[in-house]
Amino acid sequence: DVQMTQSPSTLYASVGDRITITCRASQSVSRWVAWYQQKPGKAPSLLIYDAFTLKSGVPSRFSGSGSGTEFTLTINSLQPDDFATYYCQQYNSYSNTFGQGTKVAIK
Amino acid sequence: QLQLQESGSGLVKPTQTLSLTCNVSGGSVTGGGGYSWSWIRQPPGKRLEWIGYIYQSGGTFYNPSLKSRVSISIDRSKNQFSLKVTSVTAADTAIYYCARVGSASYFFDSWGQGALVTVSS
């Protein structure tokens, strides 16, 4: 299986900050990476797919980049609603896998 | 608007079979568009784990680590799909989510709210 490792595990930030979360794959997954946001007690919600394509309706302050083994999720001008846990997912192979999550917490 | 809702037993005894159903509304499980359907679970405090897919044709593909104990089926007449996990242990305790798989790709673009299943005697 392809292993997905996110960093950091927890990120402390303030409203208005620009933050970046990194996801590294144990082998190349081309551009087949998605990012999800999950709030406590809720299901994950798709933000970005195919590494950089924003799902319709997701604010433009979210962006994704990367290919191969290294991917990033960037949030420009962090908003109060953005404090949550974020997961990456690779789907290069049929047997897809998720990262362990990055919690974005209030500084 | 597409909505998915899980239902099923919330408490299962060890060695028994876990059964969950995902009811789909606002869309059809066999309505074209190239979509397929999936189950994903999240044990307490752990990362998400994909369980398997079912295609509109009824074909399936499972996580190799669970393949021997898992089956996913689709009921076109009820517009729902289901999950069974046999021989459960405490390690199967998790929130189970059903989800729609993106067309021509394998990300999950719509999710149910999740159903907590606890394995305990």
Side-chain angles (χ1 to χ4, degrees), chain A residues 36 38 43 87 89 91 96 98, chain B residues 42 47 53 105-106 108 112:
Chain A
Y36 301 85
Q38 186 177 34
Y87 293 92
Q89 175 218 356
Y91 46 96
N96 67 79
F98 291 86
Chain B
Q42 187 171 33
R47 72 179 70 192
Y53 306 118
S105 194
Y106 290 94
F108 306 107

Side-chain angles (χ1 to χ4, degrees), chain B residues 46-92:
Chain B
K46 295 189 177 182
R47 72 179 70 192
L48 296 153
E49 179 181 35
W50 164 73
I51 298 171
Y53 306 118
I54 187 162
Y55 303 96
Q56 293 186 9
S57 64
T60 54
F61 191 83
Y62 301 124
N63 187 325
S65 68
L66 297 168
K67 184 178 179 180
S68 63
R69 298 192 295 124
V70 167
S71 66
I72 299 175
S73 59
I74 201 163
D75 187 331
R76 296 168 181 76
S77 66
K78 294 182 179 179
N79 208 38
Q80 60 188 203
F81 60 104
S82 299
L83 170 71
K84 290 189 186 299
V85 182
T86 62
S87 305
V88 298
T89 69
D92 295 306

